[in-house]
Amino acid sequence: MKKIKKRFFQNAGFASFLSSLTAIGIGLIFGLVLLLLFNPAKAFNGFSQILFAGASTMAKFAKVLYQAAPLIMTGLSVGFAFKTGLFNIGASGQYLMGAFFALFTGIVLKQPWWVALFSAMMGGALWGAMPGIFKAFFNVNEVITSIMFNWIGLFAVNLTLSNIPSILANYYGASSAERTAVLGAANPSAMIPKMGLDKIFGASYINISIFLTILIAVIAYIVLNKTTFGYELKACGYNRNASIYAGINAKRNIVFSMVIAGAFSGIGGGVYYLSGTAQYTIEKILQAMGFNGIPVALLATSNPLGTILSALFVSYIQVGGEAMQPEFAKEIIDIIISVIIYLSAFSLLFKGLITKFLSKNKPEYADEEESGEVAS
Amino acid sequence: MIVLADILSATLIFAIPLLLVALGGMFSERSGTVNIALEGIMIIGALSSSLYLKFANTSGFGAANPQLAMLIAVIVAAFSGVIYALLLAFAAVSLRADQTIGGTALNMLAPAFAIVLTWAIQGQGQTTIYIPTWIRITPEAFGLARSQNPAFFEALIFKNFYLTTPIAFLLLAVAVILLYKTKFGLRLRSCGEHPQAADSVGINVYKIRYVGVMMSGFLAGIGGLAYTIAAGSGFQSTVSGYGFLALAVMIFGNWKPVRIFGAAMFFALFKVIGSYSGSLSFLPSFSGIKNSQYIYQMLPYIVTMIVLVFTSGKSRAPKAEGIPYDKSKR
């Protein structure tokens, strides 16, 4: 028992969890200081909104879960690519493609929700494949391709939506031609089922997407850590030349890992827009949900299971941030998150300090710990 | 002819921020630090200089000495960019943190900070800081009379003429000389290619990298101001992804100053064709398609991708970029 306990506390995962917690703590304190600077009288009220609003009512908590589902997916997308040594800054475009494919399948082709979600996955995968192919075969930096395809995707989707009259809201009697139809009016079977969750939470937007995305995160964890395929992907991330020398097809793996990352983002777009609450608006702005996947993945150190927790955390304080309006701008939440990310950039430093502290308390295990490190 | 002058002058005004910011990225990456925070640095530069211009406008100083006030605004933008870039340098160089993560954090911080500060200064919901109109350089400033129907060269030069344009060309020349003709440039490049070797001959890699990142802050800060001027509708806590586009321009320009200028002009030209597509008679109009302007707005990105496919075989990034230098691991 003692040995298990020791292994748990001195394991690298625990140290990185503690260092993430430290970063979160400092980030929140920084947020409090900002609130005090801007409006001292209402600062503590605002801060308690950040900390507790997400759990204050069932409806608020439902919103946390509802927003966390797409965040888990975009976080997984960015994290999965990170694990294989690629920076997927194109989650936004892939998310958008997923949303478009889902809405097209649901509204125009009148298919049920699971077909629409599958099609969202394919859309995201298609857009994710682009940076992978350009990187593998033409040596174009994936960051550039991702950024370019974010914009190409945005304009392509806007152009296509404008030219399919039956997908737009005005086809179903609404006045606006600038947004897609309400799913409930066009094809109720394309809405992700609620399975009674809406009655439990007393909120109309909650559906089973949070469970679906958690399931996908678990599958991603298993693929990445327990299969040969995942091992090959990670090997390419650690050292591409060594993995080529070992007989791994690095080009194929680059494309695959971007396709999978894109598929995750695509599902994210699917679960958000198939909820029935959201309508896609034709705008010339990139979707923030895709970019928010980056902090989610970083906070989770790209671990798929950690992504679930970090997406829930980010969603939770975002709901808190909305609750503290209008006294404070909700962007204070973004400041807090960015401080947390900035601090987690020195996670190695924190981790070193924490491991040092833990092993100082238990000097008798010092030798054993090092051999344990290698084994784990 | 006037349309051509308009297009060229609009191309230039959009190329200037790309040029400045991509040059900034170049200095940082040539020293070995990937600077993905360019977008955030631009926002901070634009925020502080817009606030300064607003202040100069209300105090009356700006209207009396427009170009002096503009010069001060450029300096404010540059130095706020340097200070913000120091945050990246501290994380990436001193603490050897992951450069992408630090940069991402700074990109996220800047717009949020800008919105919160704009609200605090201008009152709730007032998200735009308006840029005064006196910053434009008019023909009158050179003693020329303003004609009713501007001729080709007058339209070309004075339609969108701001102090940032000559400054950008000056900085381009300085960048070329600094990078290739000075001892400092050689040291900077060596730190990006092989920092261990540079260190072994007595170059302080940390110091050079700090300077590289600070120079990127200096240029990207001015670039933020130049973007806000080009966008024309005041500062709205965003630079619409121009920092990332500048990153693309830098890679497109193969980390070389003159080629970066070419790449910036090329990209800006297609961007301008995209936004002027409605008024250009020689372009096909796609009359059967609704909102066909999106086709042209996609164009710069597609063309850049095609060019990159053909050029990136020869593309060569600084070898040591993205790897924090650790003296103890030499």
Side-chain angles (χ1 to χ4, degrees):
Chain A
M1 185 62 205
K2 206 175 172 189
K3 190 157 186 180
I4 292 171
K5 203 172 154 194
K6 184 221 98 192
R7 280 194 64 119
F8 179 72
F9 280 117
Q10 300 198 333
N11 150 326
F14 181 71
S16 65
F17 181 67
L18 265 191
S19 76
S20 287
L21 276 189
T22 319
I24 288 173
I26 298 176
L28 286 173
I29 292 169
F30 188 84
L32 177 61
V33 171
L34 270 185
L35 295 183
L36 281 169
L37 279 179
F38 285 120
N39 193 344
K42 287 175 177 157
F44 284 98
N45 184 36
F47 194 62
S48 76
Q49 294 285 5
I50 297 180
L51 289 187
F52 305 114
S56 59
T57 62
M58 284 302 256
K60 286 260 168 56
F61 189 61
K63 192 162 192 197
V64 171
L65 296 180
Y66 166 71
Q67 288 184 350
L71 271 182
I72 290 177
M73 295 317 299
T74 49
L76 275 181
S77 170
V78 177
F80 198 87
F82 265 140
K83 280 277 181 196
T84 52
L86 299 165
F87 184 29
N88 179 18
I89 201 168
S92 185
Q94 296 145 15
Y95 175 87
L96 182 61
M97 274 296 156
F100 168 70
F101 271 62
L103 290 172
F104 184 79
T105 317
I107 297 176
V108 179
L109 303 180
K110 307 274 182 214
Q111 297 297 314
W113 67 275
W114 52 272
V115 179
L117 206 54
F118 182 76
S119 135
M121 185 179 91
M122 299 309 287
L126 174 73
W127 228 239
M130 299 296 181
I133 290 169
F134 277 95
K135 168 104 183 174
F137 298 103
F138 301 109
N139 186 31
V140 183
N141 189 308
E142 82 277 6
V143 176
I144 300 306
T145 321
S146 303
I147 294 166
M148 295 293 154
F149 273 87
N150 277 345
W151 291 97
I152 296 174
L154 175 70
F155 293 128
V157 165
N158 284 354
L159 181 71
T160 323
L161 284 180
S162 311
N163 289 290
I164 308 175
S166 61
I167 204 170
L168 296 173
N170 55 355
Y171 191 77
Y172 296 89
S175 60
S176 172
E178 291 295 300
R179 56 182 58 200
T180 56
V182 178
L183 219 49
N187 177 14
S189 73
M191 282 160 69
I192 296 176
K194 304 187 190 305
M195 303 236 174
L197 284 171
D198 50 339
K199 295 197 179 63
I200 300 172
F201 284 97
S204 60
Y205 35 73
I206 183 80
N207 55 40
I208 59 165
S209 57
I210 182 76
F211 302 113
L212 285 177
T213 51
I214 288 177
L215 183 70
I216 294 169
V218 172
I219 294 172
Y221 177 80
I222 293 169
V223 168
L224 213 46
N225 293 313
K226 307 287 173 199
T227 65
T228 318
F229 177 60
Y231 181 82
E232 286 191 2
L233 290 181
K234 280 195 293 183
C236 283
Y238 284 128
N239 189 336
R240 186 155 298 154
N241 294 328
S243 62
I244 292 170
Y245 182 72
I248 295 171
N249 186 343
K251 283 186 177 176
R252 192 197 65 164
N253 279 340
I254 288 172
V255 178
F256 270 163
S257 93
M258 281 310 292
V259 165
I260 293 171
F264 285 150
S265 285
I267 296 175
V271 294
Y272 189 73
Y273 285 100
L274 291 175
S275 64
T277 336
Q279 290 167 277
Y280 176 74
T281 315
I282 297 179
E283 275 185 309
K284 287 208 264 177
I285 303 168
L286 290 176
Q287 300 279 317
M289 195 66 90
F291 290 109
N292 285 343
I294 301 173
V296 167
L298 293 177
L299 202 54
T301 57
S302 305
N303 181 321
L305 297 182
T307 306
I308 304 172
L309 292 179
S310 68
L312 282 169
F313 169 73
V314 169
S315 175
Y316 182 85
I317 65 168
Q318 273 176 347
V319 169
E322 279 158 25
M324 69 177 184
Q325 283 182 312
E327 280 83 15
F328 297 101
K330 67 173 191 299
E331 278 73 15
I332 291 207
I333 298 302
D334 287 346
I335 297 184
I336 293 176
I337 294 174
S338 54
V339 169
I340 295 172
I341 304 298
Y342 185 74
L343 293 173
S344 69
F346 340 133
S347 58
L348 279 178
L349 190 84
F350 277 146
K351 236 191 260 182
L353 285 178
I354 289 166
T355 327
K356 215 170 167 185
F357 177 75
L358 286 174
S359 52
K360 216 180 227 168
N361 283 356
K362 296 177 179 146
E364 65 270 29
Y365 292 120
D367 290 2
E368 235 181 297
E369 181 220 336
E370 268 180 45
S371 56
E373 197 86 38
V374 174
S376 65
Chain B
M1 275 308 260
I2 286 298
V3 178
L4 183 65
D6 279 356
I7 291 179
L8 287 179
S9 119
T11 301
L12 193 59
I13 190 92
F14 274 103
I16 292 301
L18 285 176
L19 167 68
L20 285 168
V21 182
L23 282 179
M26 178 196 77
F27 275 113
S28 175
E29 300 219 346
R30 275 294 178 98
S31 78
T33 313
V34 170
N35 190 347
I36 209 158
L38 291 170
E39 177 101 356
I41 299 173
M42 280 178 84
I43 291 177
I44 294 296
L47 169 73
S48 54
S49 53
S50 305
L51 282 175
Y52 169 74
L53 285 173
K54 179 186 156 80
F55 163 75
N57 193 37
T58 45
S59 72
F61 173 74
N65 314 291
Q67 293 318 313
L68 181 62
M70 186 62 185
L71 184 64
I72 297 175
V74 169
I75 294 169
V76 167
F79 281 93
S80 57
V82 169
I83 292 167
Y84 198 61
L86 275 175
L87 286 173
L88 176 70
F90 177 67
V93 182
S94 298
L95 294 178
R96 297 193 286 274
D98 187 308
Q99 298 167 358
T100 346
I101 301 182
T104 306
L106 294 181
N107 278 340
M108 195 169 176
L109 178 65
F113 177 73
I115 291 174
V116 170
L117 195 69
T118 317
W119 276 38
I121 290 174
Q122 302 202 127
Q124 201 180 353
Q126 302 286 311
T127 48
T128 307
I129 304 176
Y130 291 100
I131 303 279
T133 48
W134 42 256
I135 59 168
R136 191 166 79 91
I137 302 176
T138 53
E140 286 93 328
F142 291 88
L144 299 168
R146 185 191 297 245
S147 44
Q148 283 302 327
N149 293 309
F152 179 77
F153 281 105
E154 194 181 339
L156 176 64
I157 295 171
F158 286 110
K159 184 144 195 278
N160 296 304
F161 193 32
Y162 298 95
L163 192 62
T164 42
T165 310
I167 287 182
F169 281 108
L170 183 71
L171 288 173
L172 172 66
V174 170
V176 174
I177 295 168
L178 203 58
L179 197 62
Y180 295 116
K181 305 286 179 205
T182 64
K183 204 159 69 179
F184 168 76
L186 187 62
R187 291 182 172 177
L188 184 90
R189 285 182 282 143
S190 70
C191 288
E193 295 294 333
H194 203 309
Q196 288 81 0
D199 197 355
S200 72
V201 293
I203 297 170
N204 186 340
V205 178
Y206 297 127
K207 203 172 103 190
I208 295 277
R209 286 193 170 181
Y210 254 92
V211 174
V213 175
M214 282 161 74
M215 286 168 84
S216 79
F218 186 91
L219 289 160
I222 303 177
L225 173 62
Y227 169 79
T228 312
I229 293 170
S233 50
F235 176 68
Q236 296 169 328
S237 302
T238 172
V239 291
S240 325
Y242 255 61
F244 291 118
L245 289 181
L247 217 53
V249 164
M250 178 196 71
I251 294 177
F252 190 2
N254 213 358
W255 291 268
K256 293 189 174 92
V258 178
R259 289 185 60 169
I260 285 175
F261 173 63
M265 286 297 281
F266 178 84
F267 190 85
L269 175 66
F270 279 96
K271 184 105 185 152
V272 167
I273 290 179
S275 47
Y276 276 56
S277 62
S279 59
L280 296 179
S281 51
F282 57 86
L283 293 172
S285 60
F286 299 104
S287 51
I289 298 171
K290 276 183 201 156
N291 284 340
S292 60
Q293 77 272 17
Y294 290 126
I295 299 177
Y296 289 108
Q297 283 169 359
M298 250 190 281
L299 205 61
Y301 307 97
I302 293 176
V303 173
T304 306
M305 279 321 304
I306 294 171
V307 174
L308 279 177
V309 166
F310 287 110
T311 54
S312 58
K314 284 175 284 178
S315 157
R316 224 179 59 68
K319 270 211 185 77
E321 72 165 1
I323 309 161
Y325 180 62
D326 190 346
K327 204 172 181 149
S328 57
K329 281 183 188 159
R330 205 164 82 190

